[in-house]
Amino acid sequence: DLGVNGMGIPIGKLALYTACGGIHPAETLPVQLDTGTDNEALRSDPAYMGLKQSRERSERYDELVQEFVTAVKEKYGANTLIQFEDFGNQNAFRLLERFRGDTCLFNDDIQGTAAVALAGLLAAQKLTGRPLASERFLFYGAGEAGAGIADLIAAYIAIHHGTTVEEARGRIFMMDSRGLLVSSRTDKLAHHKLNFVRDAPPCKELLECVTQIKPTALIGVAAVGGAFTEEVVKAMVTVQDELAAGEAGERLPVVMALSNPTSKAECTAQQAYTWSGGRVVFASGSPMPGATVSGRELRPGQGNNAYIFPGLGLAAVAAGALRIEDAALLTAAEALAEQVGPGDLATGTVYPPLANIREVSLQIAVAVARHMHDSGVATLPRPSDLKSHIAALMYDPRTEIHS
């Protein structure tokens, strides 16, 4: 609970919009909604600049958010992009659903994280040889990030593999702090978890769940450092051997330790590669060194949200979008996955180099802006050469300084 001391977060995010996506800094505005803090140390600090009161949890909270969204649209226009960041679980999903239908708005913790993770999974298909619809997913963590990723995976499978969203969700299992989400649980589950409750035997420990469910992809979003132990990683490999019985070649599990910072990562890349004997497609949420296993250099891709939100924002600005639909997030994920080249895949990497982030953002922006024009949510005229038009919009401080 940082109170208004969290103001550095929106400032930092907007700096990434500029650095990675070419959004002119004069067109950005960091905002913090101060609804109080439950951090007693902050409230008693004479130098604290925020409201010195407990957090507002009544209907006045929703009224403030509504007032803010309405004011932004009235002052700057209905096609002004609003990014929600660091809302608590109890508010994040509810507010996203409330505003997404008529506002150019998205929640990066839910949707941006989901698009980045989906992109990594799509790129991983080239290494596993398996379509996404054949994967069995186990999520370690069922908060904003986990539910957002799972929902986007289900949406992608439903669209591209001819299933319903409900059928696609059936391939997804989730664990929270009390174990697997199963129908026999007697505790009250948050609304965003209900779609992933399964009729399965209860299990509380991760290793037990891996053995029981036999997942092909393990995704960590619980911020529990070291949760993916050597036994868990080896169990993931063993499961693939069991599933591959009678098949030619070896099956690779997908392991994504997406929690950050590194101290919260479920395991390190070096651990995953070493424990599995190099038989894993691995991605992390924090930058990590790779490893050399049996003479092969392996490097983890970093599932960083900066791959998605700058390009998504650039597209929204270029198209004058009125809404950010799920299809836009799916388009962004596919565009990101397409930029993973043979050289990246050769080292087991499922994301393009961050050094290429401005080109990555441009390609994502072109794909998403095209979708926005096609779907009717754009308000600006469609240029004849979309890529050249968007590239010309990108702010480059080096050019401005020299001019």
Side-chain angles (χ1 to χ4, degrees):
D1 188 345
L2 299 174
V4 297
N5 292 343
M7 186 63 186
I9 297 171
I11 293 173
K13 283 282 185 174
L14 291 177
L16 290 173
Y17 271 104
T18 298
C20 303
I23 303 295
H24 197 290
E27 297 176 359
T28 68
L29 181 66
V31 175
Q32 172 139 355
L33 300 180
D34 185 5
T35 60
T37 175
D38 290 338
N39 188 326
E40 182 59 39
L42 291 179
R43 293 205 305 262
S44 60
D45 184 349
Y48 179 64
M49 295 187 292
L51 293 174
K52 296 183 178 181
Q53 64 182 50
S54 298
R55 283 192 179 192
E56 180 62 60
R57 301 184 187 278
S58 71
E59 65 276 3
R60 296 178 64 205
Y61 177 92
D62 283 19
E63 290 170 0
L64 174 63
V65 178
Q66 178 68 70
E67 183 179 355
F68 167 72
V69 171
T70 300
V72 167
K73 293 162 74 172
E74 289 180 351
K75 182 170 181 61
Y76 299 110
N79 57 6
T80 303
L81 175 65
I82 301 173
Q83 176 179 319
F84 279 177
E85 185 81 17
D86 283 347
F87 282 75
N89 282 344
Q90 67 273 24
N91 293 317
F93 292 95
R94 182 175 58 81
L95 292 175
L96 177 60
E97 289 305 313
R98 175 173 176 173
F99 293 110
R100 66 186 304 182
D102 61 1
T103 304
C104 185
L105 172 151
F106 77 104
N107 184 306
D108 190 50
D109 300 306
I110 299 172
Q111 297 168 288
T113 301
V116 171
L118 176 59
L121 291 167
L122 293 176
Q125 294 177 124
K126 302 171 186 176
L127 295 171
T128 65
R130 299 188 300 269
L132 206 63
S134 71
E135 300 283 11
R136 179 181 285 248
F137 301 91
L138 175 58
F139 280 77
Y140 186 71
E144 292 179 38
I149 297 168
D151 278 333
L152 203 63
I153 289 172
Y156 179 90
I157 292 174
I159 291 171
H160 292 276
H161 295 278
T163 70
T164 66
V165 171
E166 290 71 23
E167 289 171 335
R169 285 174 177 157
R171 305 196 66 82
I172 300 171
F173 296 77
M174 279 193 169
M175 295 181 66
D176 63 9
S177 59
R178 298 187 178 185
L180 192 65
L181 301 186
V182 294
S183 55
S184 60
R185 288 262 296 262
T186 57
D187 53 309
K188 183 176 176 59
L189 294 175
H191 185 267
H192 66 269
K193 299 179 183 181
L194 297 180
N195 288 327
F196 302 100
V197 173
R198 300 287 164 257
D199 290 323
C203 63
K204 292 187 176 181
E205 301 301 325
L206 178 56
L207 181 59
E208 178 188 4
C209 289
V210 169
T211 303
Q212 174 181 306
I213 295 165
K214 299 188 182 305
T216 57
L218 176 62
I219 301 174
V221 283
V224 179
F228 293 175
T229 63
E230 181 174 0
E231 291 76 18
V232 167
V233 173
K234 287 183 174 180
M236 286 294 295
V237 175
T238 299
V239 165
Q240 310 319 305
D241 290 338
E242 293 172 355
L243 294 174
E247 296 180 4
E250 64 181 16
R251 290 174 60 106
L252 298 178
V254 177
V255 175
M256 304 181 88
L258 298 180
S259 297
N260 54 58
T262 306
S263 61
K264 299 290 187 180
E266 289 77 14
C267 70
T268 68
Q270 290 177 324
Q271 289 171 333
Y273 292 139
T274 301
W275 293 338
S276 68
R279 292 182 55 196
V280 65
V281 179
F282 181 83
S284 59
S286 299
M288 294 181 181
T292 300
V293 180
S294 300
R296 182 189 177 199
E297 180 187 356
L298 296 167
R299 292 186 293 106
Q302 183 191 353
N304 192 313
N305 286 22
Y307 276 121
I308 289 291
F309 70 79
L312 182 67
L314 180 59
V317 170
L322 293 173
R323 295 185 304 279
I324 304 295
E325 300 173 324
D326 276 347
L329 277 300
L330 292 170
T331 300
E334 291 176 276
L336 176 56
E338 288 170 1
Q339 295 179 76
V340 180
D344 305 314
L345 295 171
T347 58
T349 305
V350 293
Y351 293 103
L354 271 171
N356 301 341
I357 188 61
R358 284 178 70 91
E359 178 62 25
V360 169
S361 295
L362 174 60
Q363 296 296 340
I364 290 173
V366 170
V368 174
R370 182 181 298 116
H371 159 76
M372 289 172 168
H373 283 287
D374 291 344
S375 63
V377 301
T379 61
L380 298 178
R382 183 171 189 156
S384 56
D385 187 338
L386 194 57
K387 183 175 181 180
S388 296
H389 173 72
I390 294 177
L393 294 177
M394 295 179 73
Y395 167 76
D396 187 337
R398 296 166 299 183
T399 301
E400 186 156 310
I401 289 172
H402 291 132
S403 62

